[in-house]
Amino acid sequence: MEKSVIWITGASSGIGEAAAKKFSNEGFQVIISARNTQALERVKSACSLPSEVFVLRLDLEEIDTFEDKVKEAIAHFGKVDILLHNGGISQRSLIRETPLDVDRKLMEVNFFGTIALTKAILPHFISRNSGHFAVISSLVGKFGSPFRSSYAASKHALHGFFDTLRAEHFQENITVTMICPGFIRTNVSMNALTADGTALGQMDEAQQKGMSPEACAEELFSAIIRKKEEVNIGGKETLAVLVKRFFPGIFSKIIKKAKVR
Ligand SMILES: NC(=O)c1ccc[n+]([C@@H]2O[C@H](COP(=O)([O-])OP(=O)(O)OC[C@H]3O[C@@H](n4cnc5c(N)ncnc54)[C@H](OP(=O)(O)O)[C@@H]3O)[C@@H](O)[C@H]2O)c1
């Protein structure tokens, strides 16, 4: 039987790495992308079947390269069935101290990089009358939180874009799963941008106590296979989505005091 092919961005660490291992373990052919090729080679070797894993370096800020990257990705295994948009960077800075170039960088990587790659592969999905976009958003794609202004904005923007894509392309059997993780124990806070544009370099307590990336990968695998439209993944912090929806006044009070740094 023909194997399914998944392309995962941000696969050099954290959630993307765990997802690459999970999909490889489940018999998928896997294309792994990020900037750090040494880390990608390490992930490839740690997968169940390294010969069925293709390392394709990709920088989400270099959108001019995407047409060629998509060609390379399709050529390697003959097709792409699923694109898991996972690459991204977080933020740890207040609005009043953050210069616009930091806001722009967050939008470039998390939003424009993601939608540019989507537009580059969309003709392939349309021509095959099939394709699935799985998009790692965040709980802060569902509500705003202190210290995350443009990070939250970039993730909210992904919901607007991909909800639209789902509605525009359902007749070509193109589907979308929005994945909203809470606190997952990765390097996300270490790599998060501070006001001067450098990485925070510290593990947040919330991340430290969060769900393991492997447990997150199990849940996102199940959501993608079932083609769920949206899923929240994490611990009790995921309840915040329900509180915001049904008790917005209470949510507003809680988020002002949330310990998110
Ligand atoms: N951990 C959490 O609690 C949490 C919660 C909600 C959402 N998320 C989201 O989950 C996704 C994965 O993050 P993570 O938690 O696994 O953190 P992570 O360990 O820092 O991983 C981030 C990944 O994104 C890649 N990346 C960053 N900038 C890139 C760029 N310009 N071009 C290409 N790839 C880039 C990194 O690879 P290179 O540095 O090698 O390029 C890395 O593989 C992100 O979208 C993040 O926003 C995480």
Side-chain angles (χ1 to χ4, degrees):
M1 230 173 73
E2 199 186 34
K3 289 189 171 186
S4 294
V5 181
I6 184 165
W7 183 6
I8 304 173
T9 66
S12 62
S13 72
I15 296 171
E17 171 174 356
K21 290 175 184 165
K22 173 66 183 170
F23 277 92
S24 172
N25 212 20
E26 295 289 339
F28 279 69
Q29 291 175 315
V30 187
I31 302 166
I32 53 175
S33 292
R35 292 164 303 175
N36 184 340
T37 43
Q38 216 179 336
L40 289 172
E41 291 295 344
R42 178 185 55 74
V43 173
K44 173 177 168 152
S45 323
C47 284
S48 325
L49 209 51
S51 59
E52 303 272 280
V53 178
F54 175 49
V55 169
L56 179 59
R57 188 188 183 278
L58 180 134
D59 184 335
L60 283 165
E61 285 189 275
E62 293 175 355
I63 59 172
D64 293 347
T65 66
F66 287 4
E67 220 177 283
D68 287 343
K69 296 288 175 185
V70 164
K71 278 187 196 148
E72 253 189 276
I74 295 168
H76 195 82
F77 293 119
K79 60 171 182 167
V80 173
D81 295 294
I82 305 170
L83 175 52
L84 173 52
H85 285 299
N86 166 75
I89 35 174
S90 192
Q91 176 185 15
R92 295 294 183 274
S93 61
L94 295 169
I95 293 169
R96 67 163 184 261
E97 66 187 21
T98 307
L100 205 54
D101 55 347
V102 173
D103 299 290
R104 276 195 201 281
K105 174 144 180 132
L106 289 158
M107 291 302 289
E108 287 298 341
V109 174
N110 297 347
F111 180 67
F112 286 109
T114 299
I115 71 158
L117 194 58
T118 299
K119 285 169 185 254
I121 203 162
L122 192 56
H124 176 62
F125 284 0
I126 292 171
S127 71
R128 298 185 69 231
N129 208 34
S130 158
H132 188 77
F133 291 105
V135 186
I136 305 286
S137 169
S138 168
L139 290 186
V140 299
K142 307 295 287 179
F143 53 79
S145 165
F147 292 94
R148 312 279 197 280
S149 52
S150 285
Y151 175 68
S154 70
K155 297 296 190 179
H156 274 72
L158 289 173
H159 285 266
F161 183 89
F162 282 99
D163 284 350
T164 303
L165 190 146
R166 189 191 286 121
E168 285 185 4
H169 287 285
F170 72 97
Q171 279 167 329
E172 290 121 342
N173 299 310
I174 296 170
T175 42
V176 174
T177 299
M178 297 302 296
I179 299 161
C180 307
F183 297 122
I184 314 296
R185 206 180 318 124
T186 69
N187 286 337
V188 73
S189 66
M190 306 272 293
N191 297 327
L193 298 185
T194 58
D196 66 8
T198 60
L200 179 69
Q202 286 171 29
M203 175 74 91
D204 279 358
E205 202 183 319
Q207 247 72 41
Q208 185 70 59
K209 292 183 181 158
M211 178 185 258
S212 73
E214 291 74 24
C216 177
E218 291 290 332
E219 292 198 26
L220 70 84
F221 177 81
S222 158
I224 292 170
I225 293 308
R226 289 172 200 188
K227 297 195 173 175
K228 281 187 77 166
E229 292 200 348
E230 195 164 298
V231 63
N232 303 323
I233 300 177
K236 61 180 187 322
E237 70 277 12
T238 58
L239 292 174
V241 176
L242 294 178
V243 178
K244 158 96 177 168
R245 182 162 171 197
F246 295 112
F247 308 102
I250 294 177
F251 177 84
S252 176
K253 286 190 181 124
I254 294 172
I255 201 68
K256 284 171 189 152
K257 295 185 179 161
K259 196 166 176 284
V260 285
R261 252 233 64 184

